[in-house]
Amino acid sequence: MVRSRLMQRTDVLARFLARKTPRDAERSGVLLVSAGGLGDTVLFALVLPRFLSLAQAGETVTVLLRSDAAKMAFLFPPGVEVRTVDFKRFGRQGRYRLTTLAEMRDAHYRIVVSTDYLRHPYLDEALIRACACPDSFAMTPRPWPKHDRALTRNRSLYSRLFEAGEPRRDKVLRWTAFADWLTGTIEPPPRIRLPEALLPPPVKPERPTIMLQPFSAVTRKQSPPSLYLALMEALPDHDFVLLGAPNDLTRNPEFVDLLDRAEFDSSPFQELLPRLRGADLVVSVDTALMHLAAAAGVPTLCLASAAYVGEIVPYADDTKPDNVMFVTCLMPCEGCLGACDRPEESGMYPCVARIDRDMVVGMARVMLDLGSERKE
């Protein structure tokens, strides 16, 4: 993504131009940099209120997001401003990069906080450098052999660094500890549940409905269509909705046959949420839609790879809500964070290929029964 030498030269030019331009404006406002993807943005929305006390009276809190993650910004508390950067363009196009760096400098933030454990020295940290804030804070970064030297050099960007702990640590718990350190207050971690005031009312379908999200940006994390067909056959009294982006069926034509039994819905997240909340069950791979359903209180069954065990899914006991269950085939190599070195099995990660179909059907039945008991 990043043409590092070209970008470094662009950054040198940006700093030269910055020295030529006087800075008379008074600093104000808090910038929180959150450069994760869509799923990270859902989870960060749960912890974001902990960071708001960093603002002084009358100051604005701004969250900087990757442009592709901004689809989840509607989950943020009222009053929080959102700034987006197209990281792909920022890493490749010198003119866009130069303009963006100048905008960051001219924003005159009083405080900048990187909320990311995984940071890129020439992307999010370049934006933080451009702000040139006297007060800037971050966690110690996740080890990254390719960029460790640059990340070490960039530690000088920050006034203080929070010791983030072991690389394999639950993401929400890590954010909570960081927020406690920044604010000087100790609070329990949040449950994976969005405030009801931020959620739209559910739209209930005419018949019991199960929503399926089988697609992932990483196709090796996808369970086969036969697993979802087994669910349909085992639960004939339910309607099924297949969720995905508009191009998911083009990318995954083997799932098209499921449309004989299911409707396809490619609505954006914000438009989908009322209907999602009306579903009797959501069955999903470990992706952004799963986090959204879980946080919205929808009964959710997650078919999770073992790649992020200990960091994202399953949720930590301190944060896990009672509306979510996980099916995960634990492996000696769990927690690889997607760097799988095992041979594929039928085009899947081994931990995904070994998810037991009968267990999935059984757990779906249990969750539907529990949901029926709650309604009664």
Side-chain angles (χ1 to χ4, degrees), residues 209-214 232 239-243 259 261-266 272 275 283:
T209 298
I210 297 173
M211 292 189 165
L212 309 174
Q213 165 50 297
M232 293 174 176
D239 287 342
F240 288 85
V241 179
L242 197 64
L243 304 176
L259 297 185
R261 300 280 303 275
E263 166 195 352
F264 184 64
D265 191 334
S266 60
L272 176 65
R275 194 177 183 198
V283 181

Side-chain angles (χ1 to χ4, degrees), residues 7-209:
M7 296 304 102
Q8 288 177 64
R9 294 191 188 106
T10 304
D11 293 358
V12 170
L13 176 59
R15 290 195 291 273
F16 173 77
L17 295 175
R19 288 195 294 270
K20 294 287 187 178
T21 307
R23 295 187 85 143
D24 297 328
E26 182 179 351
R27 291 187 175 275
S28 178
V30 177
L31 178 68
L32 305 175
V33 179
S34 179
L38 285 162
D40 284 355
T41 304
V42 175
L43 297 176
F44 181 67
L46 303 168
V47 192
L48 174 55
R50 309 289 180 95
F51 293 89
L52 300 185
S53 64
L54 295 172
Q56 296 177 349
E59 278 192 325
T60 299
V61 174
T62 301
V63 179
L64 186 147
L65 297 173
R66 286 175 11 196
S67 56
D68 58 324
K71 297 172 187 175
M72 291 296 188
F74 72 94
L75 301 174
F76 291 171
V80 172
E81 293 191 357
V82 174
R83 186 176 202 130
T84 63
V85 174
D86 185 330
F87 272 39
K88 187 174 291 186
R89 290 183 63 199
F90 187 69
R92 292 180 175 178
Q93 298 180 13
R95 179 173 295 182
Y96 178 77
R97 187 180 184 92
L98 201 61
T99 300
T100 303
L101 293 173
E103 290 173 350
M104 299 304 299
R105 172 187 177 276
D106 293 342
H108 300 290
Y109 295 111
R110 181 178 62 85
I111 292 177
V112 175
V113 178
S114 170
T115 65
D116 296 300
Y117 179 48
L118 176 63
R119 297 197 295 277
H120 196 296
Y122 305 122
L123 293 176
D124 39 322
E125 291 203 320
L127 296 166
I128 291 166
R129 182 189 298 277
C131 293
C133 275
D135 291 313
S136 53
F137 308 98
M139 311 180 204
T140 53
R142 191 176 101 184
W144 192 350
K146 180 179 178 181
H147 294 300
D148 277 343
R149 291 181 64 184
L151 288 167
T152 298
R153 287 196 303 270
N154 282 357
R155 291 187 178 209
S156 62
L157 295 175
Y158 306 104
S159 312
R160 286 193 296 154
L161 284 168
F162 171 68
E163 182 52 58
E166 294 296 320
R168 190 174 166 190
R169 183 181 184 185
D170 180 84
K171 187 179 290 286
V172 174
L173 297 186
R174 196 193 304 271
W175 273 325
T176 300
F178 183 41
D180 288 346
W181 177 83
L182 278 171
T183 61
T185 60
I186 306 298
E187 297 183 44
R191 290 284 173 184
I192 308 297
R193 185 63 192 266
L194 289 158
E196 194 68 26
L198 292 179
L199 296 171
V203 173
K204 295 295 293 183
E206 293 182 2
R207 282 172 39 85
T209 298

